[in-house]
Amino acid sequence: SGETHAPMYGDFEAQRHWMEITTGLPVLEWYEQGPQNDLQYWGLDYPPLTAFHSWLLGKLGHLAVPDCFALVKSHGYESQACRAFMRSSVILSDLFVYFPGCLLAVWGFSQEAEKLPHRALAVVILWLLPPLLVIDHGHFQFNGVCFGLCLGAAGLVARGRRLSASVLFTAGLLFKQIA
């Protein structure tokens, strides 16, 4: 994915850089070309909810590994501590959004007569999807957030809760265009 290969470094650098930009610049400069935001260098090109997610994780990252998110100076920064923070940020995002989305989807589509072990197995199968575990966690991607919001929306639609479902699905679209 470009690891250690300047000038762009790959997926890790894109996600790290978005945290750098969102915590180092005012909101109105996140999507704008400027002296400290070269849009050719992993410009933020995802919807606003992704940007605010990057901001939140970047704030936490500044507490854990400040050098990893220093504005402009951190381009290409790849310490083990930064890598561990980035990987754990993907896993924690999945725990807070994807896992509840799986629960909502299984709850929404299951029948009352279905036994708890069957429902639990369905959640585990969704949780252990190879694309999320191997690709997203391995390449520092946050697709689980979008998928969790969409799964939750689908489960709510199945239960007739269209307004709540529309809020979650819209959040999914505002997070990533793949919703």
Side-chain angles (χ1 to χ4, degrees):
S1 73
E3 180 182 4
T4 71
H5 292 87
M8 299 296 273
Y9 300 102
D11 297 333
F12 169 85
E13 178 63 7
Q15 299 296 334
R16 189 216 57 75
H17 180 65
W18 292 349
M19 293 177 199
E20 167 197 340
I21 291 301
T22 56
T23 56
L25 295 175
V27 173
L28 295 177
E29 295 179 26
W30 290 356
Y31 292 94
E32 301 292 326
Q33 177 71 31
Q36 296 179 309
N37 190 15
D38 178 5
L39 296 180
Q40 295 301 307
Y41 186 84
W42 294 115
L44 183 55
D45 60 356
Y46 277 60
L49 193 54
T50 295
F52 284 104
H53 179 253
S54 293
W55 173 84
L56 175 64
L57 294 175
K59 287 293 187 185
L60 295 173
H62 274 284
L63 297 173
V65 193
D67 291 344
C68 185
F69 305 102
L71 190 59
V72 180
K73 295 181 222 165
S74 63
H75 288 193
Y77 190 89
E78 292 190 8
S79 75
Q80 289 302 324
C82 183
R83 184 176 302 281
F85 173 81
M86 294 293 292
R87 183 149 293 122
S88 64
S89 70
V90 175
I91 293 167
L92 288 173
S93 294
D94 283 356
L95 283 172
F96 283 110
V97 183
Y98 180 69
F99 190 65
C102 293
L103 291 172
L104 275 173
V106 169
W107 168 77
F109 287 104
S110 63
Q111 302 296 317
E112 294 298 323
E114 288 183 66
K115 306 265 189 237
L116 183 59
H118 294 118
R119 292 180 189 192
L121 179 61
V123 170
V124 168
I125 288 170
L126 285 171
W127 179 245
L128 297 176
L129 284 176
L132 288 176
L133 291 178
V134 176
I135 297 170
D136 286 7
H137 294 177
H139 288 268
F140 311 98
Q141 297 292 315
F142 294 93
N143 294 321
V145 173
C146 178
F147 295 152
L149 293 167
C150 292
L151 279 169
L156 289 169
V157 166
R159 290 291 176 158
R161 298 184 178 191
R162 286 179 273 175
L163 180 59
S164 298
S166 67
V167 169
L168 288 185
F169 186 72
T170 300
L173 285 174
L174 288 172
F175 188 82
K176 207 161 190 177
Q177 301 95 318
I178 62 173

